[in-house]
Amino acid sequence: EAGVTQFPSHSVIEKGQTVTLRCDPISGHDNLYWYRRVMGKEIKFLLHFVKESKQDESGMPNNRFLAERTGGTYSTLKVQPAELEDSGVYFCASSQFRTDTQYFGPGTRLTVL
Amino acid sequence: KNEVEQSPQNLTAQEGEFITINCSYSVGISALHWLQQHPGGGIVSLFMLSSGKKKHGRLIATINIQEKHSSLHITASHPRDSAVYICAVRTNTGNQFYFGTGTSLTVIP
């Protein structure tokens, strides 16, 4: 069974540009989570989808971040316009039920110059 | 102050040593996770706990809900155990997740 996949693995963009990160959860997992780790800090929760609905987006830093999960399968996280402080590693995780173990993707390393 | 505190931040051990990593949290939780990340690798979930103790191979995780504390133990440590170990909690109000900053473990042959 394929695990959680994320694309791209690395992205380098300039301040002001737009970047879209993609996460493909494990098939059948209704719960999808986005996390972010900025350099030297702990991982922070961004948001949680149950199927296509945003269950909790309290961790989204500001309105430059937009997450979608149309159809309840893969999810995208768009940053527009990107700022320097958005640099970090963005992780996606999925689980079948909310109380289950989460399976993490490899992360996308975003660098904003 | 972070809702989840881990200690130590860095740990170096000789192969074969018994290792303990500690995690304390300040919020009410419904579950606590121990995660592992090897250098350059992805995050792997080791344990999810809501009470008591779990064991998987040489790894043991315990949690004391009253004291808001969890420990991850590694018996007979091996260089392949070298990784960052992260403690994370899911709150019992809503679905917030808080993470510790991680413990970087190096096991020397």
Side-chain angles (χ1 to χ4, degrees):
Chain A
E1 180 184 324
V4 178
T5 57
Q6 292 186 243
F7 182 83
S9 56
H10 292 86
S11 181
V12 180
I13 60 172
E14 291 182 334
K15 175 182 170 181
Q17 289 187 314
T18 298
V19 62
T20 300
L21 314 180
R22 173 170 169 146
C23 168
D24 285 76
I26 292 172
S27 177
H29 281 193
D30 288 341
N31 292 271
L32 187 150
Y33 306 83
W34 281 100
Y35 302 96
R36 174 175 76 168
R37 189 205 318 248
V38 297
M39 185 72 75
K41 298 265 184 85
E42 69 276 9
I43 297 170
K44 293 279 195 185
F45 165 82
L46 296 179
L47 87 159
H48 170 214
F49 282 100
V50 177
K51 296 185 181 177
E52 67 275 9
S53 299
K54 290 176 186 172
Q55 184 77 9
D56 181 348
E57 54 182 330
S58 59
M60 295 286 264
N62 52 61
N63 59 10
R64 294 185 294 102
F65 289 75
L66 175 64
E68 294 180 321
R69 193 183 181 197
T70 308
T73 54
Y74 71 90
S75 174
T76 57
L77 180 65
K78 183 194 288 190
V79 185
Q80 178 182 33
E83 297 289 343
L84 300 178
E85 65 264 25
D86 301 332
S87 296
V89 181
Y90 290 76
F91 291 100
C92 171
S94 73
S95 66
Q96 188 170 13
F97 302 107
R98 187 180 71 85
T99 53
D100 278 356
T101 295
Q102 294 181 28
Y103 296 85
F104 282 79
T108 293
R109 181 174 296 279
L110 173 65
T111 302
V112 183
L113 304 176
Chain B
K1 187 180 182 297
N2 198 13
E3 287 80 359
V4 179
E5 299 283 349
Q6 283 185 238
S7 64
Q9 274 192 309
N10 297 284
L11 181 57
T12 300
Q14 288 291 130
E15 183 174 357
E17 283 186 6
F18 180 84
I19 287 161
T20 296
I21 300 171
N22 295 298
C23 173
S24 296
Y25 53 91
S26 57
V27 294
I29 70 168
S30 56
L32 181 143
H33 299 254
W34 280 103
L35 310 170
Q36 179 193 58
Q37 185 174 28
H38 280 104
I43 294 175
V44 173
S45 179
L46 298 174
F47 294 104
M48 184 174 71
L49 293 162
S50 54
S51 65
K53 175 176 163 178
K54 286 191 177 179
K55 184 175 190 292
H56 186 255
R58 295 179 295 103
L59 302 179
I60 303 166
T62 63
I63 187 168
N64 185 318
I65 297 292
Q66 286 73 32
E67 294 185 5
K68 296 190 172 180
H69 180 269
S70 175
S71 293
L72 176 68
H73 305 286
I74 304 175
T75 61
S77 59
H78 190 276
R80 64 175 174 268
D81 297 327
S82 298
V84 175
Y85 292 84
I86 302 166
C87 173
V89 301
R90 184 176 70 228
T91 63
N92 56 12
T93 55
N95 202 35
Q96 276 288 340
F97 283 84
Y98 295 104
F99 292 75
T101 52
T103 295
S104 179
L105 171 66
T106 303
V107 182
I108 300 169

